Every structure is written in structure tokens, then in C-alpha cells.
Amino acid sequence: MFKSLTIIFLSALAISCGSSSTEKKKSLSVKTNSENHVFTIGNTMDFSLNNPKNYDLGEVTFSFDGKPVSSSVDLSNIRLGEHQLVAQVNLDGEPETIQQTITVMNDMAPKVYTFNIVNEYPHDITSYTQGLEFYKGELYESTGQYGESKLRKLDYITGEVIKNYDLPKEYFAEGLTVMNDKVYQLTWKRGTGFVYDANSFEKLSSFKYNESKEGWGICNDGQVLYKSDGTEKIWTLNPETLMEESYVQAYHSKGKVVELNELEWVEGKIYSNRWQKNGVAIINPVNGAVEGVIDFTPLHNKVTQHPKLDVLNGIAYNPETKTLFVTGKRWDKLFEVEIVEK
């Protein structure tokens, strides 16, 4: 009987101590010099631990995105978006962390651009365009939908299909990019991308997405690959292993830009259209800043209107003409345009 009472007493004591530590932790918070913890790039973030009941916490240390910091962080050269500021404390003899999400936004609104049409070319009205890219003067296209997904090489002037590869019916193809004579094509929800020989379309290998959940758009700068997953994130992929190494988050001066879709590398910037939108965001690949937007809404009315007509999707930069080529899902035209600031 005595033994049972002792066990019950000790159990109750342990629960009481655990509950006490939990309650103490609830009263602690990380305080910054922004009431809502939102900052603009270029500012300085000051911070401290808010300990209103003056608990004995031992030595308090801080980290910002996993790196040790003292009491302030210079936000001049930082990627935009969400970051984690963490305080490490000692509570009742046990280490505890107090975490605060910090958001960094751009310091200026994006520039607004429009366009002039240079040329119009025929485009396969049945193509559910997902990716579009020039490589060595030829236009490559990836089309979606289950049972309709294709990899194609096109004569963009005539619309003729030079080469075609039909994907297995279980794959919904998404964006593509071409680098070093290899085509990298994403699929949507299977967590898998494919690598082909750019000339023969022979399938060379496949790769997994790791942390990102889906495949939407992909482009390259000649050295590394950039991949979107339908969120505000653009992932950097190692060209050898195709592993995701890091990411930027697309933000402007008011908040994040989500549902980033088809990607295109244009003179040091990433152009991305947004799903279900007829606009393109111009994104700084270093910090994720949305520096400009292009409104392509008028193009939707210049193609044949039919029941299956869908939104703009497909942007390709031709370095030879220094113009942008734009089409959409089941559009019968490919537009060559020059971009001009409003």
C-alpha cells in the first residue's frame, strides 16, 4: 500500500513539474523592434527575450535561421520571406527553445510593364502548354493532362512538330528546361522529373523532388536549375545530383506571391507566370524580390475562343532576337513580344 502511494505521489509530482515548465514557457516570447515581426529589406532587426515573470533561464542565446546572433541582425543582404529567430533557454534544468517567425519584404513596389506584339505564329490548339523554352534556336514545349502529356521540339515559325515524345498516361507533365544538351521535364504530383537527350529524346534518367511536394515550372541559368512547386518558393537544384539545395521566396513590398508556375531565365532574372493569372512576375533569383510584373491579359482575347481555352502558360526567351514568346493552354497562337515599361 505504501509503495503504491509513493508511486502515485511521484507521478503526480512529475506531472506537476512538467505542467509548471509548460506554463513558464508560455509566458516567454521573442520581442523585436517590429510589433508584427515584419521588416523591410535594408533595415536592422533588434531583438530580446521577453521574460515578464523574471524566471531564472540561465544563459540565453539566439540563432537566426540556425546561425548564432547576439541582439541584432542587419537585413541588408538577406533573402526575402519567412525566417526563424530562436531563443535557447534553460527552464527547470531542461533546454527549451522559444521561436518567432520573422518576415522580410522588399523595400519597393514592383515596376509595371506592358508589351508590344512583334509577330504572331501558329500554335497547336490542343496543346495544354506547361513549359516553353528556346535552345540552340529551336523551341521545346512540354504539355500536360493525363493521357495527353508530351515533350516536343517545334518549328516555332510554322508550328510544325519536329519531334514528339508521349509520356506514360500516369504522368501529368509540367515545366521543362534545356541545359547542356539535356531536357529536364517535371511532372505534377508524382514527385518525379525526367531527363532526356535534347536531340534524340532518349530518356536518360529520372529524379525526385525531395522537400518540395509538386513539380510546376523549371528553368536554368546555364549552371544551376530553378524549380517552382506552386507556392512562393523557387528551389535551386544541383545540376549533377538534381537535389534541392536551397530556395528563395517570392515577395514584393506588400507580401508573398504564391502559385508560381512556368519559369523562364531572362537576362539574369526569373520570369514566372502565376497559375490562373494572365500576368508574369519578374523575380530576383538572389533574394526573391518581385521587381516587376507584366500584364498579358489582352492576349487571351486575341486567340480563338473555344470551350477548352485556358489561361496563359508558356514563356520562352529567345536570346537571338532578345524577345519573349508567350502562349497559353490550348491557345492557337504563339506571340512574340517586346516588353516595355508603362
Side-chain angles (χ1 to χ4, degrees), residues 51 71 79-80 94 133 141 151 172 180 209 238 248:
N51 181 12
S71 59
R79 294 180 176 183
L80 303 185
E94 295 294 332
E133 188 165 296
E141 182 178 32
L151 169 62
F172 189 121
N180 298 330
Y209 298 159
N238 182 298
V248 296

Side-chain angles (χ1 to χ4, degrees), residues 38-41 80-81 103-111 232 249-258 260 274 280-284 287-293:
V38 176
F39 293 84
T40 301
I41 191 170
L80 303 185
T103 304
V104 182
M105 297 198 292
N106 203 21
D107 58 352
M108 61 183 68
K111 293 182 179 179
E232 72 279 7
Q249 301 167 76
Y251 270 73
H252 48 51
S253 55
K254 299 296 183 182
K256 62 184 175 182
V257 178
V258 298
L260 299 178
R274 291 181 63 197
V280 168
I282 302 173
I283 302 168
N284 184 324
N287 63 8
V290 178
E291 299 178 343
V293 292

Side-chain angles (χ1 to χ4, degrees), residues 122-186:
H123 180 254
D124 183 356
I125 199 171
T126 68
S127 288
Y128 195 80
T129 305
Q130 299 288 71
L132 203 65
E133 188 165 296
F134 278 97
Y135 183 71
K136 294 184 177 179
E138 295 181 304
L139 187 62
Y140 289 76
E141 182 178 32
S142 174
T143 72
Q145 293 292 345
Y146 293 110
E148 299 179 32
S149 293
K150 300 174 176 65
L151 169 62
R152 285 179 161 180
K153 184 189 294 186
L154 307 173
D155 180 332
Y156 73 90
I157 295 176
T158 65
E160 177 190 359
V161 179
I162 299 172
K163 200 165 192 64
N164 182 86
Y165 170 77
D166 294 327
L167 272 73
K169 293 182 179 181
E170 64 266 29
Y171 291 104
F172 189 121
E174 287 280 346
L176 65 71
T177 193
V178 194
M179 184 174 71
N180 298 330
D181 290 331
K182 293 179 180 178
V183 178
Y184 300 84
Q185 184 183 38
L186 303 178

